Amino acid sequence: MAMDYGSYVRRRFLIGLSLFLALLAVFMASLSLGPYKIPLGDVVRVLFTGGSGNERLVVLDIRLPRIVAGILVGASMGVAGAVLQGYLRNPLATPFTMGVSNGAMFGASLAIILGAGYTLNSGQIFLSNPYAVVLFAFLGAISATLVILILARLRSLSPEAIVLAGVAMSSLFIALTALVQYFANELQLSAMVYWSFGNLARATWGENTIMAVSFTLVFAYFFLKRWDLNASTLGDEIARSVGVNIERERLIGTFLSAFITSVTVAFVGVIGFIGLIAPHSMRLIAGGDYRFLIPLSALAGALLLVSADTVARLIVSPMNLPVGVITSFLGAPTFIYLLVRMEGRR
Amino acid sequence: MIKVRNLHFSYGRGEVLRGVSFEADEGEFLAILGPNGAGKSTLLRCLAGILKCGGVRILDRPVTDYKPNELARLLAYVPQRISAGFMTVFDTVLLGRRAYMGLTPSKEDIAVVDSILKRLGIGDLALKRANEISGGELQKVSIARALAQEPKILLMDEPTNNLDLKSQLEVMRLAREFARDGGLSIVVMHDVNLAIRFAGRFIFMKDGKVMADGGLEVLSEELFETVYGVRVEIEEIRGIPVVLLL
């Protein structure tokens, strides 16, 4: 029997390894593909020796930061979704259902109407003060969750009530955004809409460094708390019986999930569905054990987002589609398929 | 081992526990009986430290003073309703070792879980997902998890509810063995005759108060009349008292 369990655990490692290899393959393909094709051999050479000229520019300065951003954003959203679904015991929970995306949209819109503004440049819209927009988007994103958590702390809200409070905060921010948009002029309005399309190309090495640090710290925390998450899925009473301070861990976990998501949303905008599809597909393949679900959701999220972004770059090449459109477009039917599969298993 | 002194508790308005006092020691198998709404489950949750109640001392220390992990090694609680989760049976039971583990389960943790699954006769379910097994099997998994905590005190809330006759007997034997091995079993239950067969001591509760506390000698037809408001006859069959509903 102990042997069986050992091989069961090893199988989970193999799933992780295959995901990692798949991510590596997509990473290399994504570096190589695009309007300016670079053979794989050359990509490897540029990666290791720096290369020169156009190759260096395209691989290291244009594609690499964007792909790294895809990995970080995808991994953050995968982990954040997995953790929230565990602590709130709700399969639909993601930071976006806690009002993070609508809060960010409101923050960004507010910054734009207050003068972080826009410049028209050869038909494209550029934000004239992107840092203000990023800061406001982050504050908007995290504020919804903070309000909910303060309420939860004061009134010891149940997981269900936390989810419902998230829905309420989302609606509030949608209304506030509509209000801001109502008073915006045409150019401001198009800057807001443009911002709302998630786009990984916004990330440079500076943003990637911040996302990498926040992701690594939060990931490490959740990985240490993996047994607490397992306990949470069985209900608060069992969690407490096995020694988990479940109220505290739920608040910390919810905050940290919202935090890493807010960081990524502030930098690259709203990219939907990764936080739902990554954890749920892994639950289906590898089971609900958070020891594996946390790293696997990170890998799956990264793989999904980098793949989607590669498709977004290629599909109407040389133009770029916003990756958020692709993830939602492919995400919605995939998610429905997963739901049907899971129901079949009950 | 457990001392409860003048325990009061309310969930808001209306007191659920109104001055409960009793003591229980190692080696005892204590059944808590009484009608719905008597406060039995609330009392058990107070003992388990799940509800913050003043007036419960375990090993001469208020239960609210224990750190979560310390308490998890000292007592285990099996709630009435269990959600299954998506983990395997083995991992669900392994969760009981959380308070002992470092970052990963040791060989000993795995061995403890292994032997408990075998003891409860659910070894063949180990790698099944907990949401794919029957209600009775899930109940056993929950009990197995509690035993994996290697507690000194085992608190179970209506553990025989979803079980067939054979499994009911198995669970009750287990609770009795746990007490014989030097532990303290406290079980909330409804089936009076099952309780009589296995438990050594009975606490009858009504409206948040203890109505009777003791061994077989406290069982009387009047007691059932006052506690449950039903008429019964108590007869002995092969020396064992049996409560007949009239």
Side-chain angles (χ1 to χ4, degrees), chain A residues 1-2 4-5 7-8 12 89 223-228 230-238 240-245 282-292 342 345-346, chain B residues 45 49-51 68-69 72 75-77 79-80 82-88 90-92 94-96 98-99 101 103-105 110 114 118 123 126-127 129 132 142 145 149:
Chain A
M1 179 33 243
D4 284 355
Y5 185 70
S7 67
Y8 161 85
R12 300 294 170 284
R89 285 197 293 279
F223 197 63
L224 288 177
K225 295 287 178 183
R226 54 199 188 269
W227 287 101
D228 295 15
N230 277 343
S232 170
T233 62
L234 298 183
D236 285 6
E237 295 192 328
I238 289 186
R240 250 170 272 168
S241 176
V242 300
V244 180
N245 188 343
M282 289 303 107
R283 262 189 206 98
L284 213 56
I285 296 172
D289 184 344
Y290 273 88
R291 280 183 293 168
F292 308 111
M342 278 200 281
R345 273 176 165 253
R346 273 170 199 275
Chain B
R45 286 197 200 109
I50 283 169
L51 297 173
N69 274 347
L75 63 82
Y77 168 72
Q80 203 175 116
I82 313 146
S83 38
F86 278 90
M87 282 182 286
T88 61
F90 195 93
D91 289 321
T92 308
L94 192 55
L95 205 52
R98 185 193 159 283
M101 271 188 241
L103 280 178
T104 46
I110 304 272
D114 230 8
K118 285 208 184 94
L127 295 185
R129 290 198 190 176
E132 292 168 347
S142 186
R145 185 227 81 228
Q149 290 175 233

Coordinates of all heavy atoms in Angstrom, one line a residue, chain A residues 1-2 4-5 7-8 12 89 223-228 230-238 240-245 282-292 342 345-346, chain B residues 45 49-51 68-69 72 75-77 79-80 82-88 90-92 94-96 98-99 101 103-105 110 114 118 123 126-127 129 132 142 145 149:
Chain A
M1 N 0.8 -1.2 0.0 CA 0.0 0.0 0.0 C 0.9 1.3 0.0 O 0.7 2.2 -0.8 CB -0.9 -0.1 1.2 CG -1.8 1.1 1.4 SD -2.5 1.9 0.0 CE -1.7 3.5 0.3
A2 N 1.8 1.3 0.9 CA 2.7 2.5 0.9 C 3.4 2.7 -0.4 O 3.7 3.8 -0.9 CB 3.8 2.4 2.0
D4 N 2.1 1.9 -3.3 CA 1.1 2.5 -4.2 C 1.1 4.0 -4.0 O 1.0 4.7 -5.0 CB -0.3 1.9 -3.9 CG -0.4 0.5 -4.4 OD1 0.5 0.1 -5.1 OD2 -1.5 -0.1 -4.2
Y5 N 1.1 4.4 -2.8 CA 1.0 5.8 -2.5 C 2.2 6.5 -3.1 O 2.1 7.6 -3.7 CB 0.9 6.1 -1.0 CG 0.7 7.5 -0.7 CD1 -0.5 8.1 -1.0 CD2 1.7 8.3 -0.1 CE1 -0.7 9.5 -0.8 CE2 1.5 9.6 0.1 CZ 0.3 10.2 -0.2 OH 0.1 11.5 0.0
S7 N 4.0 5.7 -5.7 CA 3.9 5.8 -7.1 C 2.8 6.8 -7.5 O 2.9 7.5 -8.5 CB 3.6 4.5 -7.8 OG 2.3 4.0 -7.5
Y8 N 1.8 6.9 -6.7 CA 0.8 8.0 -6.9 C 1.4 9.4 -6.8 O 1.2 10.2 -7.6 CB -0.3 7.8 -5.8 CG -1.2 9.0 -5.6 CD1 -2.3 9.3 -6.4 CD2 -0.9 9.9 -4.6 CE1 -3.1 10.3 -6.2 CE2 -1.7 11.0 -4.4 CZ -2.8 11.2 -5.2 OH -3.6 12.3 -5.0
R12 N 2.3 12.5 -9.9 CA 2.0 14.0 -9.8 C 3.3 14.7 -10.2 O 3.2 15.8 -10.8 CB 1.6 14.3 -8.3 CG 0.4 13.7 -7.9 CD -0.8 14.1 -8.7 NE -2.0 13.4 -8.5 CZ -2.3 12.2 -9.0 NH1 -1.4 11.5 -9.6 NH2 -3.5 11.6 -8.8
R89 N -13.7 27.8 -0.5 CA -14.5 26.6 -0.9 C -15.6 26.9 -1.9 O -16.7 26.5 -1.8 CB -15.2 26.1 0.4 CG -14.2 25.3 1.3 CD -15.0 24.5 2.3 NE -15.7 25.2 3.2 CZ -15.2 25.8 4.3 NH1 -14.0 25.7 4.6 NH2 -16.0 26.5 5.1
F223 N 3.0 27.7 -0.7 CA 3.5 26.4 -0.7 C 3.8 25.8 0.7 O 3.5 24.7 1.0 CB 4.8 26.3 -1.6 CG 5.2 24.9 -2.0 CD1 4.3 24.2 -2.8 CD2 6.3 24.3 -1.5 CE1 4.6 22.9 -3.2 CE2 6.6 23.0 -1.9 CZ 5.8 22.4 -2.7
L224 N 4.2 26.7 1.6 CA 4.4 26.3 3.0 C 3.0 26.0 3.6 O 2.9 25.2 4.5 CB 5.0 27.5 3.8 CG 6.5 27.7 3.5 CD1 7.0 28.9 4.3 CD2 7.3 26.5 3.8
K225 N 2.0 26.7 3.2 CA 0.7 26.5 3.8 C -0.2 25.5 3.1 O -1.4 25.5 3.2 CB -0.1 27.8 3.8 CG 0.6 28.9 4.7 CD 0.4 28.5 6.1 CE 1.1 29.6 7.0 NZ 1.0 29.2 8.4
R226 N 0.4 24.6 2.3 CA -0.3 23.7 1.4 C -1.2 22.8 2.2 O -2.4 22.5 1.8 CB 0.6 22.9 0.5 CG 1.7 22.1 1.2 CD 2.7 21.8 0.1 NE 3.8 20.9 0.6 CZ 4.9 21.3 1.2 NH1 5.1 22.6 1.4 NH2 5.8 20.5 1.6
W227 N -0.8 22.3 3.4 CA -1.7 21.4 4.2 C -2.8 22.2 4.8 O -3.9 21.6 5.0 CB -0.8 20.7 5.3 CG 0.0 19.7 4.7 CD1 1.4 19.8 4.5 CD2 -0.3 18.4 4.2 NE1 1.8 18.7 3.9 CE2 0.8 17.8 3.7 CE3 -1.5 17.7 4.2 CZ2 0.8 16.5 3.2 CZ3 -1.6 16.4 3.7 CH2 -0.4 15.8 3.2
D228 N -2.6 23.5 5.1 CA -3.7 24.3 5.6 C -4.8 24.4 4.5 O -6.0 24.4 4.8 CB -3.2 25.7 6.0 CG -2.3 25.6 7.2 OD1 -1.8 24.4 7.5 OD2 -2.0 26.6 7.8
N230 N -5.4 22.3 2.1 CA -6.0 21.0 2.0 C -7.1 20.9 3.1 O -8.2 20.4 2.9 CB -5.0 19.8 2.2 CG -4.3 19.5 0.9 OD1 -4.8 19.9 -0.2 ND2 -3.2 18.8 1.0
A231 N -6.7 21.3 4.3 CA -7.7 21.2 5.4 C -8.9 22.1 5.2 O -10.0 21.7 5.5 CB -7.0 21.6 6.7
S232 N -8.6 23.3 4.6 CA -9.7 24.2 4.4 C -10.8 23.6 3.5 O -12.0 23.9 3.7 CB -9.2 25.5 3.8 OG -10.3 26.3 3.3
T233 N -10.4 22.8 2.5 CA -11.4 22.3 1.5 C -12.3 21.3 2.2 O -13.4 21.0 1.7 CB -10.7 21.5 0.4 OG1 -10.0 20.4 0.9 CG2 -9.8 22.4 -0.4
L234 N -12.0 20.8 3.4 CA -12.8 19.9 4.1 C -13.8 20.6 5.1 O -14.5 19.9 5.9 CB -12.0 18.8 4.9 CG -11.1 17.9 4.0 CD1 -10.4 16.9 4.8 CD2 -12.0 17.3 2.9
G235 N -13.7 21.9 5.2 CA -14.6 22.6 6.1 C -13.8 23.2 7.3 O -12.8 22.6 7.6
D236 N -14.4 24.2 7.9 CA -13.7 24.9 8.9 C -13.5 24.0 10.2 O -12.5 24.1 10.9 CB -14.5 26.2 9.3 CG -14.3 27.3 8.3 OD1 -13.7 27.0 7.3 OD2 -14.8 28.4 8.5
E237 N -14.5 23.2 10.5 CA -14.4 22.4 11.7 C -13.2 21.4 11.6 O -12.5 21.3 12.6 CB -15.7 21.7 12.0 CG -16.8 22.7 12.2 CD -18.1 22.0 12.8 OE1 -18.3 20.8 12.4 OE2 -18.8 22.6 13.6
I238 N -13.1 20.7 10.5 CA -12.0 19.8 10.3 C -10.7 20.5 10.3 O -9.7 20.1 10.9 CB -12.2 18.9 9.1 CG1 -13.4 18.0 9.4 CG2 -11.0 18.1 8.7 CD1 -13.6 16.9 8.3
R240 N -9.9 23.2 11.8 CA -9.5 23.6 13.2 C -9.1 22.3 14.0 O -8.2 22.4 14.8 CB -10.7 24.3 13.9 CG -10.4 25.7 14.1 CD -11.5 26.5 14.6 NE -12.3 27.0 13.5 CZ -13.5 27.5 13.5 NH1 -14.1 27.5 14.7 NH2 -14.1 27.9 12.5
S241 N -9.8 21.2 13.7 CA -9.5 20.0 14.4 C -8.1 19.5 14.2 O -7.4 19.0 15.0 CB -10.5 18.9 14.1 OG -10.1 17.7 14.7
V242 N -7.6 19.7 12.9 CA -6.2 19.3 12.6 C -5.2 20.4 12.9 O -4.0 20.3 12.6 CB -6.0 18.8 11.2 CG1 -6.9 17.6 11.0 CG2 -6.3 19.9 10.2
G243 N -5.6 21.5 13.5 CA -4.7 22.5 14.0 C -4.5 23.7 13.1 O -3.4 24.4 13.2
V244 N -5.4 24.0 12.3 CA -5.3 25.2 11.4 C -6.1 26.4 12.0 O -7.2 26.2 12.3 CB -5.8 24.9 10.0 CG1 -5.6 26.2 9.1 CG2 -5.1 23.7 9.4
N245 N -5.4 27.5 12.1 CA -6.1 28.8 12.5 C -6.8 29.3 11.2 O -6.3 30.2 10.5 CB -5.2 29.8 13.0 CG -5.9 31.0 13.6 OD1 -7.1 31.2 13.3 ND2 -5.2 31.8 14.4
M282 N -6.2 21.4 -13.7 CA -5.2 20.6 -12.9 C -5.9 19.7 -11.8 O -5.5 18.6 -11.6 CB -4.2 21.5 -12.1 CG -3.2 22.1 -13.1 SD -2.3 20.9 -14.0 CE -3.0 21.1 -15.6
R283 N -7.0 20.2 -11.3 CA -7.8 19.4 -10.4 C -8.3 18.2 -11.1 O -8.4 17.1 -10.5 CB -9.0 20.2 -9.9 CG -8.8 20.8 -8.5 CD -10.1 21.4 -8.0 NE -9.6 22.4 -7.0 CZ -9.6 23.7 -7.3 NH1 -10.0 24.1 -8.5 NH2 -9.1 24.5 -6.4
L284 N -8.7 18.4 -12.4 CA -9.2 17.3 -13.1 C -8.2 16.2 -13.4 O -8.4 15.0 -13.4 CB -9.8 17.8 -14.5 CG -11.0 17.1 -15.1 CD1 -12.1 17.1 -14.1 CD2 -11.4 17.9 -16.3
I285 N -7.0 16.7 -13.7 CA -5.9 15.8 -14.1 C -5.2 15.2 -12.9 O -4.9 14.0 -12.8 CB -4.8 16.6 -15.0 CG1 -5.5 17.0 -16.3 CG2 -3.6 15.7 -15.2 CD1 -4.6 17.9 -17.1
A286 N -4.9 16.0 -11.9 CA -4.0 15.6 -10.8 C -4.7 15.5 -9.4 O -4.1 15.1 -8.4 CB -2.8 16.5 -10.7
G287 N -6.0 15.9 -9.4 CA -6.7 15.8 -8.1 C -6.6 17.1 -7.3 O -5.9 18.0 -7.7
G288 N -7.3 17.1 -6.2 CA -7.4 18.4 -5.4 C -6.4 18.6 -4.3 O -6.6 19.5 -3.5
D289 N -5.3 17.9 -4.3 CA -4.3 18.0 -3.3 C -3.5 19.2 -3.5 O -2.8 19.3 -4.5 CB -3.5 16.7 -3.3 CG -2.5 16.7 -2.1 OD1 -2.2 17.8 -1.5 OD2 -2.0 15.6 -1.8
Y290 N -3.5 20.2 -2.6 CA -2.8 21.5 -2.8 C -1.3 21.3 -2.8 O -0.6 22.2 -3.3 CB -3.3 22.5 -1.8 CG -4.5 23.2 -2.3 CD1 -5.8 22.7 -2.0 CD2 -4.4 24.4 -3.1 CE1 -6.9 23.4 -2.5 CE2 -5.5 25.0 -3.6 CZ -6.8 24.5 -3.3 OH -7.9 25.1 -3.8
R291 N -0.8 20.3 -2.3 CA 0.7 20.1 -2.4 C 1.1 20.1 -3.9 O 2.1 20.7 -4.2 CB 1.1 18.7 -1.9 CG 1.2 18.6 -0.4 CD 1.6 17.2 0.0 NE 0.6 16.2 -0.3 CZ 0.8 14.9 -0.3 NH1 2.0 14.5 0.0 NH2 -0.1 14.1 -0.6
F292 N 0.2 19.6 -4.7 CA 0.5 19.5 -6.2 C -0.2 20.6 -6.9 O 0.3 21.2 -7.9 CB 0.2 18.2 -6.8 CG 0.8 17.0 -6.0 CD1 0.0 16.2 -5.2 CD2 2.1 16.9 -6.0 CE1 0.5 15.2 -4.5 CE2 2.7 15.8 -5.2 CZ 1.9 15.0 -4.5
M342 N -16.4 17.8 -14.9 CA -16.4 17.6 -13.5 C -17.7 17.1 -12.9 O -17.7 16.3 -12.0 CB -15.9 18.9 -12.8 CG -14.5 19.1 -12.8 SD -13.9 20.3 -11.6 CE -14.3 21.8 -12.4
R345 N -18.1 13.6 -13.0 CA -17.4 12.7 -12.1 C -18.0 12.6 -10.8 O -17.6 11.8 -10.0 CB -16.0 13.4 -11.9 CG -15.0 13.0 -12.9 CD -13.7 13.7 -12.7 NE -12.7 13.1 -13.5 CZ -11.7 12.4 -12.9 NH1 -11.7 12.2 -11.6 NH2 -10.8 11.8 -13.6
R346 N -19.0 13.5 -10.5 CA -19.6 13.4 -9.1 C -20.4 12.2 -8.9 O -20.9 11.6 -9.8 CB -20.4 14.6 -8.9 CG -19.6 15.8 -8.4 CD -20.4 17.1 -8.4 NE -19.5 18.2 -8.3 CZ -19.0 18.6 -7.1 NH1 -19.4 18.1 -6.0 NH2 -18.1 19.6 -7.1
Chain B
R45 N -18.5 21.0 20.4 CA -17.7 22.0 19.8 C -16.9 22.9 20.8 O -15.8 23.3 20.5 CB -18.6 22.9 18.9 CG -19.0 22.3 17.6 CD -19.5 23.3 16.6 NE -20.3 22.6 15.6 CZ -21.6 22.8 15.5 NH1 -22.2 23.6 16.3 NH2 -22.3 22.1 14.6
G49 N -12.8 23.1 21.3 CA -12.1 24.4 21.1 C -12.5 25.0 19.8 O -11.8 26.0 19.4
I50 N -13.5 24.5 19.1 CA -13.9 25.1 17.9 C -14.8 26.3 18.1 O -14.6 27.4 17.5 CB -14.7 24.1 17.0 CG1 -13.7 23.1 16.4 CG2 -15.5 24.7 16.0 CD1 -14.3 21.9 15.8
L51 N -15.6 26.3 19.1 CA -16.3 27.5 19.6 C -15.4 27.9 20.8 O -14.9 27.2 21.6 CB -17.7 27.2 20.1 CG -18.6 26.7 19.0 CD1 -20.0 26.2 19.6 CD2 -18.8 27.8 18.0
P68 N -3.1 26.0 18.3 CA -3.9 25.1 17.4 C -3.2 23.7 17.3 O -3.9 22.7 17.4 CB -4.0 25.8 16.1 CG -3.9 27.2 16.5 CD -3.0 27.3 17.7
N69 N -1.9 23.7 17.0 CA -1.2 22.4 16.8 C -1.1 21.6 18.1 O -1.2 20.3 18.0 CB 0.2 22.7 16.3 CG 0.2 22.8 14.8 OD1 -0.7 22.5 14.1 ND2 1.4 23.3 14.3
A72 N -4.4 20.0 18.5 CA -4.7 19.0 17.4 C -4.0 17.6 17.8 O -4.4 16.6 17.4 CB -4.2 19.4 16.1
L75 N -6.5 16.4 21.1 CA -7.8 15.9 20.8 C -8.2 16.0 19.4 O -7.7 16.9 18.6 CB -8.9 16.7 21.7 CG -9.1 18.2 21.6 CD1 -10.0 18.5 20.4 CD2 -9.7 18.7 22.9
A76 N -9.1 15.1 19.0 CA -9.6 15.1 17.6 C -11.1 15.2 17.6 O -11.7 14.6 18.5 CB -9.1 13.9 16.8
Y77 N -11.6 15.9 16.6 CA -13.1 16.1 16.5 C -13.6 15.6 15.2 O -13.0 15.9 14.2 CB -13.3 17.6 16.7 CG -14.7 18.1 16.4 CD1 -15.7 17.8 17.3 CD2 -15.0 18.8 15.3 CE1 -17.0 18.2 17.0 CE2 -16.2 19.3 15.0 CZ -17.3 19.0 15.9 OH -18.5 19.4 15.6
P79 N -16.8 16.0 13.0 CA -18.0 16.7 12.9 C -19.2 15.9 12.3 O -18.9 14.8 11.8 CB -17.7 17.9 12.0 CG -16.5 17.5 11.2 CD -15.8 16.5 12.0
Q80 N -20.4 16.4 12.5 CA -21.5 15.7 12.1 C -21.6 15.6 10.6 O -21.9 14.6 10.0 CB -22.8 16.4 12.6 CG -24.0 15.6 12.7 CD -25.1 16.4 13.3 OE1 -26.1 16.7 12.7 NE2 -24.9 16.9 14.6
I82 N -19.7 16.3 6.9 CA -18.3 16.4 6.3 C -18.4 16.7 4.9 O -19.2 16.1 4.2 CB -17.6 15.0 6.5 CG1 -17.9 14.4 7.9 CG2 -16.2 15.1 6.1 CD1 -18.0 12.9 7.9
S83 N -17.6 17.6 4.4 CA -17.6 17.8 2.9 C -16.4 17.0 2.4 O -15.4 16.8 3.1 CB -17.5 19.3 2.5 OG -16.6 20.0 3.4
A84 N -16.6 16.4 1.2 CA -15.6 15.4 0.7 C -14.3 16.0 0.2 O -13.2 15.5 0.5 CB -16.3 14.6 -0.4
G85 N -14.4 17.1 -0.6 CA -13.1 17.6 -1.2 C -12.7 16.7 -2.3 O -13.3 15.7 -2.6
F86 N -11.6 17.2 -3.0 CA -11.2 16.5 -4.2 C -9.9 15.7 -3.9 O -9.3 15.2 -4.9 CB -10.9 17.5 -5.3 CG -12.1 18.0 -6.0 CD1 -12.8 19.0 -5.6 CD2 -12.5 17.3 -7.2 CE1 -14.0 19.4 -6.3 CE2 -13.7 17.7 -7.9 CZ -14.4 18.7 -7.4
M87 N -9.5 15.5 -2.7 CA -8.3 14.8 -2.4 C -8.6 13.3 -2.4 O -9.7 12.9 -2.2 CB -7.8 15.2 -1.0 CG -7.0 16.5 -1.0 SD -6.4 16.8 0.6 CE -7.9 17.3 1.5
T88 N -7.5 12.5 -2.4 CA -7.7 11.1 -2.2 C -8.0 10.8 -0.8 O -7.7 11.6 0.1 CB -6.4 10.3 -2.6 OG1 -5.4 10.7 -1.7 CG2 -6.0 10.5 -4.0
F90 N -6.4 8.7 1.0 CA -5.1 8.7 1.8 C -4.7 10.1 2.2 O -4.3 10.3 3.4 CB -4.1 8.0 0.9 CG -2.8 7.6 1.7 CD1 -2.7 6.3 2.2 CD2 -1.8 8.5 1.9 CE1 -1.6 5.9 2.9 CE2 -0.7 8.1 2.7 CZ -0.6 6.9 3.1
D91 N -4.8 11.0 1.3 CA -4.4 12.4 1.7 C -5.3 13.0 2.7 O -4.9 13.8 3.5 CB -4.3 13.2 0.4 CG -3.1 12.8 -0.5 OD1 -2.1 12.5 0.0 OD2 -3.3 12.8 -1.7
T92 N -6.6 12.7 2.6 CA -7.5 13.2 3.5 C -7.2 12.7 4.9 O -7.2 13.5 5.9 CB -9.0 12.8 3.2 OG1 -9.2 13.1 1.8 CG2 -10.0 13.5 4.0
L94 N -4.2 11.6 5.8 CA -2.9 12.1 6.1 C -2.9 13.5 6.7 O -2.0 13.9 7.5 CB -2.1 12.2 4.8 CG -0.6 12.4 4.9 CD1 0.1 11.4 5.8 CD2 0.0 12.3 3.5
L95 N -4.0 14.3 6.4 CA -4.2 15.6 7.0 C -4.2 15.6 8.5 O -3.8 16.5 9.2 CB -5.6 16.1 6.5 CG -5.8 17.6 6.4 CD1 -4.7 18.3 5.6 CD2 -7.1 17.8 5.7
G96 N -4.6 14.4 9.0 CA -4.6 14.3 10.5 C -3.2 14.3 11.1 O -3.0 14.6 12.3
R98 N -1.0 16.6 10.2 CA -0.5 17.9 9.9 C 0.2 18.5 11.1 O 1.2 19.1 11.0 CB -1.7 18.8 9.5 CG -1.2 20.2 9.1 CD -2.4 21.1 9.1 NE -1.9 22.5 9.2 CZ -1.6 23.1 10.3 NH1 -1.7 22.4 11.5 NH2 -1.2 24.3 10.4
A99 N -0.4 18.2 12.3 CA 0.2 18.8 13.5 C 1.5 18.2 13.9 O 2.3 18.7 14.8 CB -0.8 18.7 14.7
M101 N 3.7 16.9 11.3 CA 4.6 17.0 10.1 C 5.5 18.2 10.2 O 5.1 19.2 10.7 CB 3.8 17.1 8.9 CG 3.3 15.9 8.3 SD 2.6 16.4 6.7 CE 0.9 15.9 6.9
L103 N 7.6 19.8 6.8 CA 7.0 20.3 5.5 C 6.4 19.1 4.7 O 5.4 19.3 4.0 CB 8.1 20.9 4.7 CG 8.4 22.4 5.1 CD1 9.5 23.0 4.3 CD2 7.1 23.2 5.0
T104 N 7.0 17.9 4.9 CA 6.4 16.8 4.1 C 6.2 15.7 5.1 O 6.8 15.6 6.2 CB 7.4 16.3 3.1 OG1 8.7 16.2 3.6 CG2 7.4 17.2 1.9
P105 N 5.2 14.8 4.8 CA 5.0 13.7 5.7 C 6.2 12.8 5.8 O 6.9 12.5 4.8 CB 3.8 13.0 5.1 CG 3.7 13.5 3.7 CD 4.3 14.8 3.7
I110 N 3.2 8.3 7.1 CA 2.6 7.4 6.1 C 2.2 6.1 6.7 O 1.1 5.5 6.4 CB 3.6 7.2 4.9 CG1 4.1 8.5 4.3 CG2 3.0 6.2 3.9 CD1 3.3 9.0 3.2
D114 N -1.5 4.4 6.9 CA -1.6 3.1 6.4 C -2.3 2.1 7.3 O -3.3 1.4 7.0 CB -0.2 2.5 6.1 CG -0.1 2.0 4.6 OD1 -1.1 2.2 3.9 OD2 0.9 1.4 4.3
K118 N -6.2 0.4 7.3 CA -6.4 -1.1 7.4 C -7.3 -1.4 8.5 O -8.2 -2.3 8.4 CB -5.0 -1.8 7.5 CG -4.3 -1.8 6.2 CD -3.3 -3.0 6.1 CE -2.5 -2.9 4.8 NZ -1.2 -2.3 5.1
G123 N -8.7 0.2 3.5 CA -7.4 0.3 2.9 C -7.5 0.3 1.4 O -6.7 1.0 0.7
A126 N -7.8 3.7 -0.5 CA -6.8 4.7 -0.2 C -6.6 5.7 -1.4 O -6.5 6.9 -1.2 CB -5.5 4.1 0.1
L127 N -6.6 5.2 -2.6 CA -6.3 6.1 -3.7 C -7.5 6.6 -4.5 O -7.4 7.2 -5.5 CB -5.3 5.4 -4.7 CG -3.9 5.2 -4.1 CD1 -2.9 4.6 -5.1 CD2 -3.3 6.4 -3.4
R129 N -10.8 9.1 -4.9 CA -11.0 10.4 -4.4 C -12.2 10.4 -3.4 O -13.1 9.7 -3.6 CB -11.4 11.3 -5.6 CG -10.2 11.5 -6.5 CD -10.4 12.7 -7.4 NE -9.4 12.8 -8.4 CZ -9.3 13.7 -9.3 NH1 -10.3 14.6 -9.4 NH2 -8.4 13.7 -10.2
E132 N -15.8 10.4 -4.4 CA -16.3 9.3 -5.2 C -16.7 8.1 -4.4 O -17.0 7.1 -4.9 CB -15.2 8.9 -6.3 CG -15.0 10.0 -7.3 CD -13.8 9.7 -8.2 OE1 -13.0 8.8 -7.8 OE2 -13.6 10.3 -9.2
S142 N -13.4 10.2 7.8 CA -13.4 11.2 8.7 C -12.9 10.8 10.1 O -12.1 11.4 10.8 CB -14.8 11.9 8.9 OG -14.7 13.0 9.7
R145 N -9.2 10.0 9.9 CA -8.4 11.2 10.0 C -8.3 11.6 11.5 O -7.2 12.0 11.9 CB -9.1 12.4 9.2 CG -8.3 13.6 9.1 CD -9.2 14.8 9.4 NE -9.4 15.0 10.9 CZ -10.6 15.2 11.5 NH1 -11.7 15.1 10.8 NH2 -10.7 15.4 12.8
Q149 N -4.6 11.7 14.1 CA -4.0 12.7 15.0 C -3.5 12.1 16.2 O -2.9 12.9 17.0 CB -5.1 13.8 15.3 CG -5.5 14.6 14.1 CD -6.7 15.6 14.4 OE1 -7.7 15.6 13.7 NE2 -6.6 16.3 15.5

